[in-house]
Amino acid sequence: MDGSLAVREDTLTPTAALAGRLVAMRASPPSPEAATVAKQCLLDWLGVSLAGRREPLVDILTEELAPADDPGGCTLLGRGRRAPLTTAVLINGAMGHALDFDDVITAMGHPTAPVAPAVLGLAEALGVSGAKAVAAFIAGVEAECRVARLLGPSHYAKGWHGTATFGSFGAAAAAAHLLDLDEDRLLHAFGIAGTQAAGLKSVFGTMSKPLHAGKAAQNGVLAARLAARGFTSDTDILGSAQGFAATQSTTVNPAAAFEARPTPWVVDALFKYHAACYLTHDTIEAVTALRKAHDLHAAQVEAIAVHVRPPHMGVCNIQELRTGLECKFSLRMTAALALAGEDTFQDGLFTDETANRADLVALRRRVGVTPDAQGRGSLVEIHLKDGRTLREQVDVARPMRDLAAQQTLIERKFRHLAEPAVGARAASEIIEVCRGLELAPDVSRLLELCRPKPE
């Protein structure tokens, strides 16, 4: 950020400061690092979306909202049909979050789930270049992370789901970038997005959590398209007395929102290699490390104590569960799965059958969760029947800076998730298209490759 923009932000409303920053980003192409991570986010999201294409919640949304093909519409990933833009964006957004296997940025939640469907859907409809789509994605992630920083921790602690709320702003910013909205129209787009933004954590473990991502994507696209036509809203939705921040946060922090950064927020993306809530990953890794180091078996274990930070308790502390979705939000169950040696990378593990498997039910009832972790990460203590206690502390929330190594991991994950949907050949081509997306004339080939393989 240049000095003149920093001076202006001190005198602007929060919404105007954000809009000015995002419009200024259009003046130059993104850095190679930001572009690389953005393309990795998109590839990862396409993989988890294709793997989630036949989830019951996706079937229900498709049957209700897009029962027939719309040849003039936008691609429904892995479904072999099209739907009107805002419908496709909603369904694809829910699809991409259906397995809860999509990426994370600790500042806001799941950054790609609400922004990618907005970018790819609108880019397809407009026929814009791959380079513009990548830049729009980076702008969208920047917006949602800075809005999250503005509201601070109280928003999420109260029960709001940041992927839904902040994601609505991110999707609006990305769509506005594709539509070339000026600052004035972007202010209205944020107002339209902010008055729609919602999503409650009480629905975690149900189909409504993935719906949040789809609705956020749809909110943002609708907001930008309406603003482009002259539709009006509160032009300081982030700063007004009864606006988004004032009504949904007690920890509003403009300094945090607009702090200078050497790189865009997108470079802090964290990728999941366990198909469960990201806040369970420290525990999974710690239990797995202890199991492997000491060749542990369930019969040796008296109890497992999991020490986490307090916010985890309102996110992934489901104790008695019945469904595969609930497994993903249970520290007790994910600890049991790790101790049992189950491969939590496999999204197909998280089923209703797994949730009710007798050995896992017995094992998870030996797991206790305490919200007293200090510092970063989570601490696991395994108390053995022979009197020993084994301890391991893990913190997975550290972005990789070796982007080549990260690319290898993401491509492995993508092939595993996407090949059953589109076939090995198409999966390989999707990887190559994503690698060079900024050179593509549009996103049509990328989305064409996401059609289902012949049965």
Side-chain angles (χ1 to χ4, degrees):
M1 183 182 72
D2 63 36
S4 61
L5 185 54
V7 171
R8 284 183 61 216
E9 285 180 349
D10 290 339
T11 60
L12 294 174
T13 66
T15 318
L18 179 62
R21 178 178 290 268
L22 295 172
V23 170
M25 288 176 68
R26 303 177 194 172
S28 57
S31 69
E33 180 186 12
T36 295
V37 178
K39 292 181 291 182
Q40 290 175 343
C41 290
L42 291 170
L43 179 63
D44 183 75
W45 179 80
L46 287 171
V48 297
S49 298
L50 290 168
R53 73 198 182 283
R54 289 299 181 191
E55 285 294 298
L57 70 96
V58 180
D59 286 339
I60 293 169
L61 288 171
T62 303
E63 290 162 7
E64 176 64 25
L65 301 174
D69 185 37
D70 179 356
C74 294
T75 300
L76 291 179
L77 299 172
R79 303 288 297 200
R81 68 169 75 174
R82 295 174 175 271
L85 171 61
T86 54
T87 298
V89 163
L90 186 153
I91 294 173
N92 286 336
M95 188 188 306
H97 199 45
L99 300 179
D100 220 286
F101 209 178
D102 48 307
D103 60 13
V104 170
I105 290 180
T106 54
M108 63 76 53
H110 297 272
T112 301
V115 176
V119 168
L120 293 180
L122 189 54
E124 181 182 24
L126 297 173
V128 302
S129 70
K132 190 162 187 174
V134 170
F137 177 79
I138 293 169
V141 173
E142 192 73 11
E144 61 191 350
C145 289
R146 290 192 179 275
V147 174
R149 294 279 288 168
L150 177 69
L151 267 69
S154 65
H155 180 75
Y156 193 74
K158 184 67 175 176
W160 296 105
H161 182 202
T163 300
T165 54
F166 308 140
S168 294
F169 288 92
H177 187 107
L178 292 173
L179 291 166
D180 295 317
L181 297 193
D182 61 21
E183 285 191 43
D184 180 63
R185 300 239 168 155
L186 180 53
L187 294 177
H188 289 285
F190 281 147
I192 301 166
T195 202
Q196 299 178 85
L200 302 173
K201 286 162 58 183
S202 69
V203 305
F204 283 15
T206 76
M207 295 179 183
S208 289
K209 184 175 188 278
L211 179 63
H212 288 172
K215 286 290 289 181
Q218 185 185 62
N219 290 345
V221 170
L222 179 62
R225 283 167 61 87
L226 290 176
R229 292 179 178 272
F231 204 96
T232 63
S233 189
D234 178 1
T235 55
D236 188 24
I237 196 73
L238 296 174
S240 293
Q242 293 186 318
F244 182 76
T247 59
Q248 298 190 30
S249 172
T250 57
T251 52
V252 177
N253 188 344
F258 300 110
E259 68 177 354
R261 284 177 52 88
T263 55
W265 270 102
V266 72
V267 303
D268 284 359
L270 302 161
F271 296 92
K272 285 187 171 186
Y273 304 108
H274 303 286
C277 173
Y278 198 74
L279 295 184
T280 68
H281 289 206
D282 289 342
T283 297
I284 293 171
E285 292 284 349
V287 172
T288 299
L290 291 172
R291 175 178 59 79
K292 290 181 176 180
H294 301 278
D295 192 25
L296 294 179
H297 303 280
Q300 300 170 262
V301 174
E302 182 70 32
I304 301 175
V306 178
H307 301 271
V308 298
R309 288 174 292 171
H312 288 48
M313 305 302 282
V315 179
C316 51
N317 191 40
I318 297 177
Q319 300 181 39
E320 294 299 324
L321 45 135
R322 298 159 296 152
T323 70
L325 273 174
E326 289 175 330
C327 289
K328 292 172 179 280
F329 296 91
S330 172
L331 284 159
R332 289 167 174 79
M333 183 53 134
T334 49
L337 289 168
L339 184 60
E342 298 288 350
D343 186 0
T344 49
F345 175 74
Q346 302 291 335
D347 49 287
L349 173 66
F350 294 87
T351 64
D352 295 357
E353 181 181 3
T354 296
N356 294 284
R357 216 173 80 189
D359 62 318
L360 293 172
V361 171
L363 187 52
R364 77 178 185 235
R365 287 177 178 167
R366 283 184 257 167
V367 181
V369 180
T370 308
D372 61 354
Q374 301 297 314
R376 296 175 64 97
S378 301
L379 172 67
V380 169
E381 298 174 320
I382 298 183
H383 303 285
L384 302 181
K385 292 179 180 178
D386 65 9
R388 290 181 295 154
T389 296
L390 309 175
R391 294 180 176 84
E392 184 76 21
Q393 186 157 2
V394 172
D395 173 25
V396 299
R398 298 180 185 274
M400 286 185 70
R401 299 309 180 196
D402 184 342
L403 298 186
Q406 182 161 275
Q407 183 76 25
T408 298
L409 291 171
I410 292 169
E411 288 182 9
R412 171 181 175 265
K413 176 183 173 183
F414 177 81
R415 291 183 189 279
H416 165 73
L417 294 173
E419 285 183 1
V422 300
R425 183 173 179 177
S428 294
E429 192 170 347
I430 290 169
I431 289 171
E432 291 308 309
V433 173
C434 273
R435 277 179 173 266
L437 187 57
E438 69 271 41
L439 303 177
D442 54 44
V443 300
S444 60
R445 180 58 181 163
L446 178 63
L447 294 173
E448 180 184 341
L449 289 164
C450 294
R451 296 177 63 84
K453 67 180 181 181
E455 297 294 339

